[in-house]
Each structure stands twice: as C-alpha cells, then as structure tokens.
Amino acid sequence: MQATAEQVTIRKEWLGTGDSATYRTVDLMSELTRQSAQDWNVRHTATEIVKDCPHKDDRCEILSVFNWVRDHTRFLKDPYGTEMLHRPVELLKFIQNDGMTQGDCDDLSALTASLLMSVGYPVGFRVVSTRPDGRFSHVFGIVFAKGQWWPLDATDRIHPAGWQVNPQYVSRQFDRMVKP
C-alpha cells in the first residue's frame, strides 16, 4: 500500500544555515522522537521486537531494535538542498504497510531512538563532522544502558551496533539527549 499526500504530515520550516540549523534540526529530531515514543503503535511494535529477549536483558533489547530498524530501512539522501525530517510514527506505518521504508541518517536515528525510548531507554543523538571544514555531516542515535552511552548507527549495514567513526577522523561532535 502506497502512502498518499493526505496520509503524511508535512511541515515546512526555515531552519537557518550552519551550526544553528544543525542544532535546530537535532531539537526537532528530539521532539519527534519524544512524541513518537509515546505513540501506542510505536510502543506495541517495540514490545513485539523485544518479546523474545530474556527478562531485563538490555543488550538483547537494544540489539533487537537496532537490527530490526536496519533490516526494514534503506538509507536514502534527502532531496538536494533540502533537510527533510520524517516522523518516526510515519516511517513505522510505511514499514507496516510495505515491509520497508527509506530515510537518511536523521530519520533512521529518530526511528531507532523512538522505539527504544518507548520501552524505557534514555536516548539521544550524536552529531559529528568528519569534514576538514568542520561542518557537521552525520547524526546517529545513542542509548544509555549498563552505565554508559552506546552508539547506534542504523544507516550502515556493515558495522554492528556500538560502532562509530574512529575519533581520530572526527573534527567536531556534540550529543543531545532526548528529554522525557
């Protein structure tokens, strides 16, 4: 089933340029994640994903959500010159209807974070630059478990959960926690 324009919420907003646009984008990602984590369908999906994990097994639950997102998504860049943010609730509807959805790093990070937040995990986002000019170029989710923050980059099908870019190649970074 294909989604129609009537089924997808679109909000256009000028985010600015440079670092201020990046900070505003991450603020919007946090807001969408928090809202989606409280959605019944998101929580129901997350509980289905983790149902075979042993009781209170954080590692199993986090890996199950991470792998599920990675298996049901395809990385796709935003339109040229445009920053698009897709609501995790809507990405989940595409997966449930079509078995798959597409999005860029901010979309897949917000989807992963909303599923994990809905089953009780503190989450956030790590924004990095690997560029010589220091412009931020990538974002991925982070989840708090077992006393530390774990990176979760579902855009990369090669590396496992917990992998992140080697710090020697990161010129700048910041973390933003999603407030409950």
Side-chain angles (χ1 to χ4, degrees), residues 34-45:
R34 184 175 41 261
Q35 291 170 357
S36 295
Q38 297 171 10
D39 180 83
W40 181 89
N41 191 37
V42 172
R43 178 160 170 86
H44 175 73
T45 301

Side-chain angles (χ1 to χ4, degrees), residues 2-165:
Q2 295 296 320
T4 65
E6 296 82 37
Q7 295 171 305
V8 177
T9 304
I10 297 174
R11 175 175 119 188
K12 293 184 179 183
E13 178 179 330
W14 172 249
L15 297 175
T17 59
D19 286 356
S20 64
T22 301
Y23 299 136
R24 179 68 182 132
T25 298
V26 177
D27 286 344
L28 288 169
M29 290 171 60
S30 296
E31 178 185 325
L32 295 174
T33 297
R34 184 175 41 261
Q35 291 170 357
S36 295
Q38 297 171 10
D39 180 83
W40 181 89
N41 191 37
V42 172
R43 178 160 170 86
H44 175 73
T45 301
T47 59
E48 285 296 307
I49 293 168
V50 303
K51 72 180 178 186
D52 293 330
C53 290
H55 184 64
K56 294 186 178 183
D57 187 335
D58 293 342
R59 183 177 188 276
C60 180
E61 292 178 354
I62 291 167
L63 289 176
S64 294
V65 169
F66 173 81
N67 290 330
W68 186 90
V69 170
R70 209 167 61 168
D71 292 347
H72 290 87
T73 59
R74 178 182 178 275
F75 179 84
L76 181 68
K77 293 183 275 189
D78 284 337
Y80 180 75
T82 303
E83 178 60 57
M84 294 181 81
L85 294 176
H86 296 88
R87 295 176 186 277
V89 170
E90 291 169 351
L91 292 174
L92 191 55
K93 288 178 188 174
F94 279 105
I95 293 171
Q96 291 168 335
N97 291 333
D98 302 330
M100 187 72 134
T101 194
Q102 301 179 95
D104 69 350
C105 56
D106 48 56
D107 302 318
L108 304 187
S109 298
L111 177 59
T112 304
S114 66
L115 288 164
L116 287 167
M117 190 175 189
S118 78
V119 290
Y121 291 95
V123 296
F125 301 104
R126 179 163 295 153
V127 183
V128 299
S129 172
T130 56
R131 297 168 47 114
D133 64 7
R135 272 187 44 213
F136 290 114
S137 52
H138 188 53
V139 61
F140 51 89
I142 53 178
V143 60
F144 191 80
K146 301 197 180 293
Q148 66 181 349
W149 289 96
W150 298 90
L152 298 172
D153 189 346
T155 64
D156 184 344
R157 294 190 176 274
I158 297 169
H159 297 100
W163 179 87
Q164 63 183 332
V165 175

